[in-house]
C-alpha cells in the first residue's frame, strides 16, 4: 500500500510553476530527508519535505 496524503489547503510552492488545491490526493513515490517525490493526478512532482508535510494531512 502506498502512502497517500491530502492537501489541507490551496498550496503554491515558492520555486515552482504548479499549484495544488485543497483536497488533492498525493501518492508518495519516494521520501528523502530534504524532498518528497509525489504523484498527483497522474503527474510527478518533487516538493521540499517540510512544505509537503505542513501543507498536507494523512489520508486514512
Amino acid at each position: 500500500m502506498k502512502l497517500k496524503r491530502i492537501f489541507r489547503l490551496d498550496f503554491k510552492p515558492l520555486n515552482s510553476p504548479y499549484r495544488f488545491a485543497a483536497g488533492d490526493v498525493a501518492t508518495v513515490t519516494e521520501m528523502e530527508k530534504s524532498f518528497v517525490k509525489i504523484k498527483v493526478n497522474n503527474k510527478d512532482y518533487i516538493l521540499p519535505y517540510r512544505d509537503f508535510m505542513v501543507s498536507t494531512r494523512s489520508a486514512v
Side-chain angles (χ1 to χ4, degrees):
M1 182 175 154
K2 297 201 177 207
L3 176 66
K4 292 185 184 282
R5 294 186 65 91
I6 300 171
F7 283 88
R8 306 174 196 240
L9 41 96
D10 290 347
F11 177 70
K12 181 168 174 43
L14 289 175
N15 300 321
S16 303
Y18 45 84
R19 61 178 296 154
F20 304 103
D24 280 348
V25 176
T27 302
V28 177
T29 57
E30 185 178 335
M31 192 177 296
E32 296 289 333
K33 291 186 178 184
S34 59
F35 67 88
V36 178
K37 289 184 180 178
I38 60 172
K39 186 172 277 207
V40 178
N41 297 329
N42 293 322
K43 287 182 151 182
D44 294 318
Y45 301 96
I46 296 175
L47 289 178
Y49 180 82
R50 183 181 182 284
D51 289 349
F52 179 69
M53 299 311 278
V54 169
S55 60
T56 62
R57 65 177 173 79
S58 294
V60 181

